[in-house]
């Protein structure tokens, strides 16, 4: 068989400092094994509304160690607290989130968490505020 195009030697790409710094940051769910992810997924699927409220209250009352861990993952603890408060006070938003999570596999749940982490890492405080306002408006 003959080829029309000439073969070109492949070049190795070098890793930039930004990529190295990003690669070192912890990722949501990274430390969970497959069995642990399945367990978490099943726990989420069986949560009642009261369980969800208790979880959101816990998210609103995190300690300094948890805040540091969240910051290392690129998450903003203040924004997470705000999101938890917003969901806690909005039953329709809570139910929508619960229904969405009940239909997700452990892998989909992990992927959604990592995608949210990635998107939030690149957002300014103003962009996050705007997104929260929009979510709150749409949920009413």
């Amino acid at each position: 068989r003959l080829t029309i195009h000439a073969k070109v030697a492949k070049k190795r790409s070098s890793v930039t400092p930004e990529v190295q710094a990003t690669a070192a940051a912890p990722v949501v769910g990274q430390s969970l094994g497959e069995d642990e992810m399945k367990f978490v997924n099943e726990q989420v699927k069986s949560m009642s509304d009261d369980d969800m409220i208790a979880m959101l209250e816990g998210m609103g009352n995190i300690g300094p160690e948890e805040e540091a861990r969240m910051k290392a993952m690129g998450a903003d603890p203040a924004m997470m607290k705000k999101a938890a408060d917003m969901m806690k006070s909005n039953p329709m938003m809570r139910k929508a989130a619960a229904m969405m999570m009940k239909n997700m596999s452990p892998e989909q749940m992990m992927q959604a968490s990592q995608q949210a982490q990635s998107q939030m890492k690149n957002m300014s405080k103003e962009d996050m505020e705007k997104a929260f306002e929009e979510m709150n408006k749409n949920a009413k």
Side-chain angles (χ1 to χ4, degrees):
R1 181 173 117 168
L2 298 172
T3 58
I4 298 173
H5 66 282
K7 293 243 178 191
V8 179
K10 293 181 181 178
K11 294 181 183 178
R12 290 195 175 248
S13 61
S14 61
V15 178
T16 63
E18 297 88 26
V19 173
Q20 282 180 331
T22 305
V27 178
V28 173
Q30 185 177 32
S31 62
L32 295 177
E34 189 177 334
D35 291 340
E36 292 170 310
M37 265 311 293
K38 286 179 182 175
F39 177 75
V40 169
N41 184 260
E42 289 305 315
Q43 291 294 314
V44 168
K45 288 179 179 186
S46 65
M47 288 175 80
S48 68
D49 193 50
D50 289 338
D51 293 336
M52 185 79 113
I53 291 170
M55 180 188 75
L56 292 168
E57 284 174 354
M59 288 169 63
N61 299 320
I62 60 172
E65 311 85 37
E66 187 70 17
E67 277 192 29
R69 205 174 91 211
M70 288 178 67
K71 285 179 183 177
M73 288 192 290
D76 182 352
M79 285 295 158
M80 197 214 53
K81 288 177 184 178
K82 186 171 184 165
D85 288 341
M86 188 171 59
M87 285 185 70
K88 197 167 54 175
S89 65
N90 191 325
M92 285 182 63
M93 187 181 286
R94 232 182 9 256
K95 285 182 182 172
M99 287 303 297
M100 184 179 73
M101 289 187 291
K102 283 183 181 182
N103 294 321
M104 296 173 96
S105 69
E107 294 79 19
Q108 289 170 322
M109 202 175 278
M110 173 87 78
Q111 185 179 18
S113 296
Q114 291 173 350
Q115 182 179 7
Q117 176 188 0
S118 173
Q119 288 173 341
M120 289 182 75
K121 194 180 289 187
N122 298 322
M123 292 175 77
S124 68
K125 285 217 184 270
E126 293 79 24
D127 290 340
M128 281 193 221
E129 288 288 339
K130 210 180 293 182
F132 279 126
E133 286 174 22
E134 195 64 32
M135 281 184 350
N136 212 6
K137 198 182 338 175
N138 290 338
K140 291 182 179 177

